[in-house]
Amino acid sequence: MKVEKVVGNVLRYGVLVAGGVIALGLALSFLLPQNTYPPLAGLLEHLLRGEVLNDWPTVPCVTWECLGNPNQVITLGLMLLIGLPILRVALTLVLFIVERDFVYVMISAIVLVVLVTGIWMGKAI
Amino acid sequence: MDSLHEWLAQPACFEIVLFTISIVAGTLGAILGLGGGIIVIPTLTLLFGVNIRYAIGASIVSIIATSSGAAATYVKDRITNIRVAMLLEVATSVGALSGAILASYVKAQWLFLLFAAILLYSAFTMWRGNRREGQSPHAEDPLATKLRLHSSYPDAALGGQEVAYRVSNVVLGFVLMLFAGLTSALLGIGSGSLKVPAMDRAMGLPIKVSTATSNFMIGVTGAASAGVFFMEGLILPALAAPVALGVLVGSSIGTKLMVKLPAREIRRAFVVVLLVIAVQMLVKGFT
């Protein structure tokens, strides 16, 4: 069946790309500790004591300048990873449209709307 | 304990230990249709002493990584039932969204106990019900026929033989998934532990189809809540990176193991894990 093949491939390559970016970021945080903010060693010291790290904002930022910080490269990879399930639902919607399976077009559309609403609400909080 | 912490505070040690443990979490998660939170959260909080907020953030990453990593293989091998997954995702995502809204009004304490009770009941029925795969104990549901949910999957443990199955109790399954989505948002857990029994017991899906389909679904519920965690700064790159990478490696090992494992073994392993989660929930509920 076509749906399985396309969805399977997108997930496979998506996971490879996201994993690659995360691995790159992690490697860079060891190679370029001076560029890494928050610094790994200092962060762990607080983290292992169970502290909440209010002094170290970790808000994602993917501008070219931000990506000089290996932590933001990791964050970019994580965002790609988190985007995969959403992309997968959108893709299923398109594939059901192509197959003219309108009950499942409706079902996929509802899932996508609820998902986007949840993410949008997350931003509003 | 102090010398252990000193050793762990070295970045390389910390990342390697967390990566290795995450491989185990990903393997187990991929086989059983869970997100790996049952391993990632206790490791971070009990062993490392990390604040629970960051542990939950890391476990959300673990859920999404297990889901996408495992689904890539299961979908290609035709073990995942995409129609069942899409239909039930309506329920889990609506449930999760309601849970997110209700979270500040509901006391989590008694929910943990309720959740533990449901897990114990699921473990009990799954332990008893060692039926033949593909043979639902329930009557066939005409709604399942209308929604074209019946399907078949190739079972590598049976020499690649095609196992056909019929789906029953669609409405009950849908309601159980609403509850699964609600609790996952309220308690901050992936709730694969509720999804698998609901598909296996109520809807009569074979155990392998249940765990593969649960794996496929947990990523969507996880992604819906990940946005909130990201914006509140609870997903720390230092934790999330080794967890994501370890789980991706683990889930690829897990999918290879799962297709070859006999269904009975998977069912038994799942019962054991259900009991472990039930104990975790009871501890949380009483403290």
Side-chain angles (χ1 to χ4, degrees):
Chain A
M1 227 173 88
K2 213 169 57 191
V3 179
E4 270 96 1
K5 206 168 175 191
V6 178
V7 171
N9 278 334
V10 166
L11 285 174
R12 167 155 314 197
Y13 293 116
V15 160
L16 284 177
V17 171
V21 174
I22 294 169
L24 176 73
L26 190 59
L28 285 175
S29 70
F30 278 94
L31 296 173
L32 304 167
Q34 70 277 16
N35 292 4
T36 309
Y37 182 84
L40 204 49
L43 179 93
L44 286 182
E45 216 169 277
H46 292 275
L47 206 58
L48 292 174
R49 270 191 239 126
E51 290 171 21
V52 177
L53 312 164
N54 288 326
D55 314 345
W56 276 317
T58 44
V59 175
C61 169
V62 287
T63 61
W64 200 237
E65 226 167 286
C66 286
L67 289 177
N69 178 358
N71 273 332
Q72 293 291 5
V73 178
I74 294 175
T75 304
L76 174 66
L78 292 172
M79 285 166 85
L80 292 175
L81 190 66
I82 290 169
L84 273 182
I86 304 163
L87 176 67
R88 192 261 291 164
V89 174
L91 186 71
T92 325
L93 172 69
V94 173
L95 292 171
F96 280 129
I97 291 174
V98 173
E99 289 195 346
R100 303 191 170 273
D101 190 338
F102 292 112
V103 175
Y104 281 89
V105 169
M106 278 284 293
I107 289 171
S108 318
I110 295 171
V111 175
L112 196 60
V113 167
V114 175
L115 201 56
V116 171
T117 311
I119 291 161
W120 174 78
M121 272 180 40
K123 270 190 175 166
I125 286 168
Chain B
M1 204 63 190
D2 275 345
S3 60
L4 173 70
H5 268 189
E6 233 164 70
W7 184 72
L8 278 174
Q10 294 171 280
C13 295
F14 181 86
E15 301 291 310
I16 289 171
V17 170
L18 191 51
F19 174 76
T20 311
I21 292 172
S22 301
I23 294 179
V24 179
T27 308
L28 193 72
I31 295 174
L32 300 180
L34 309 167
I38 51 154
I39 290 180
V40 171
I41 294 183
T43 300
L44 286 174
T45 55
L46 300 179
L47 183 65
F48 294 174
V50 171
N51 194 287
I52 181 76
R53 292 151 57 92
Y54 300 116
I56 293 176
S59 100
I60 296 238
V61 170
S62 163
I63 290 167
I64 296 169
T66 316
S67 175
S68 294
T73 306
Y74 292 148
V75 167
K76 214 186 99 256
D77 292 350
R78 291 190 302 112
I79 302 174
T80 312
N81 187 324
I82 293 189
R83 282 172 201 274
V84 168
M86 290 307 295
L87 177 68
L88 297 180
E89 269 168 11
V90 173
T92 52
S93 54
V94 167
L97 194 62
S98 326
I101 296 167
L102 287 174
S104 45
Y105 305 102
V106 178
K107 200 158 176 266
Q109 198 83 10
W110 67 267
L111 265 176
F112 282 116
L113 298 178
L114 177 65
F115 191 64
I118 293 168
L119 291 178
L120 290 173
Y121 174 75
S122 307
F124 175 68
T125 60
M126 283 185 78
W127 180 254
R128 253 190 356 172
N130 244 330
R131 57 160 206 270
R132 253 186 73 194
E133 295 304 309
Q135 292 191 330
S136 171
H138 312 295
E140 192 175 309
D141 188 340
L143 185 59
T145 311
K146 203 178 276 176
L147 290 168
R148 297 199 279 147
L149 297 177
H150 311 302
S151 186
S152 65
Y153 78 100
D155 197 328
L158 306 172
Q161 182 197 327
E162 197 78 11
V163 178
Y165 57 89
R166 318 286 289 173
V167 179
S168 27
N169 290 330
V170 176
V171 174
L172 177 62
F174 194 88
V175 172
L176 289 173
M177 291 297 163
L178 272 176
F179 183 75
L182 194 71
T183 42
S184 72
L186 286 175
L187 303 182
I189 47 173
S191 81
S193 51
L194 289 182
K195 292 187 175 89
V196 174
M199 284 188 269
D200 177 77
R201 298 282 92 197
M203 302 179 74
L205 295 173
I207 186 76
K208 288 191 179 185
V209 177
S210 300
T211 61
T213 305
S214 167
N215 250 318
F216 191 74
M217 292 170 63
I218 53 178
V220 167
T221 330
S225 45
V228 184
F229 280 82
F230 244 126
M231 291 305 152
E232 293 191 352
L234 296 176
I235 296 182
L236 297 177
L239 297 181
V243 167
L245 294 174
V247 164
L248 286 178
V249 171
S251 67
S252 109
I253 299 170
T255 50
K256 289 189 182 75
L257 288 175
M258 188 272 234
V259 288
K260 292 190 193 117
L261 281 171
R264 259 170 68 119
E265 302 304 318
I266 296 174
R267 194 182 294 273
R268 285 193 176 155
F270 196 88
V271 170
V272 173
V273 170
L274 278 184
L275 293 175
V276 172
I277 307 175
V279 170
Q280 286 180 355
M281 292 298 139
L282 282 175
V283 170
K284 277 188 190 165
F286 283 119
T287 46

